[in-house]
Amino acid sequence: MVNPVLKRALESWGEQAQMMMVVEEMSELMKEILKNVNRKKDNIAEIIEETADVEIMLEQLKENYHIAEKVEAYKAEKIKLIERRLDDWDKTHAA
């Protein structure tokens, strides 16, 4: 269930504007990650802030497209795939 404040934001400011904000917030997070990795910048506070912004906007995205349940199901399958890959990795890199 989506947070009522986030649903209200989507309804008040409009789907198109909020979907553009999803892209903008993801871009800002990407920029902070790149600063941290490439420039070795100590910007964890900025990464925390931008991660929160992205998570908020992703909730609105899922609400806008009515895809929350499908996203959760797909995530569960992806996590199983990652687990299988890690198990294979462990087998090939065991000491």
Side-chain angles (χ1 to χ4, degrees):
M1 172 123 186
V2 69
N3 181 302
V5 174
L6 301 182
K7 186 170 184 166
R8 184 175 164 207
L10 186 61
E11 292 167 352
S12 296
W13 294 324
E15 295 174 0
Q16 185 175 0
Q18 292 307 95
M19 293 307 96
M20 291 307 298
M21 284 297 297
V22 174
V23 175
E24 182 179 325
E25 295 298 350
M26 289 190 302
S27 174
E28 291 174 6
L29 176 58
M30 183 175 61
K31 181 179 79 171
E32 294 303 330
I33 293 168
L34 288 170
K35 283 181 189 177
N36 184 270
V37 173
N38 292 336
R39 297 186 209 161
K40 309 295 185 218
K41 186 173 179 182
D42 182 16
N43 63 338
I44 296 302
E46 289 83 357
I47 291 173
I48 291 167
E49 177 184 346
E50 297 305 337
T51 299
D53 290 346
V54 166
E55 287 185 3
I56 288 167
M57 296 313 299
L58 287 175
E59 289 302 314
Q60 290 185 54
L61 178 138
K62 290 185 283 186
E63 175 66 18
N64 184 51
Y65 294 111
H66 310 287
I67 59 172
E69 290 180 17
K70 290 181 180 179
V71 168
E72 287 305 312
Y74 197 80
K75 276 175 43 178
E77 289 302 313
K78 285 286 196 169
I79 290 169
K80 289 177 188 174
L81 177 61
I82 292 167
E83 182 178 36
R84 287 192 298 271
R85 288 180 179 167
L86 286 169
D87 290 345
D88 290 343
W89 171 268
D90 289 346
K91 290 175 189 172
T92 60
H93 293 84

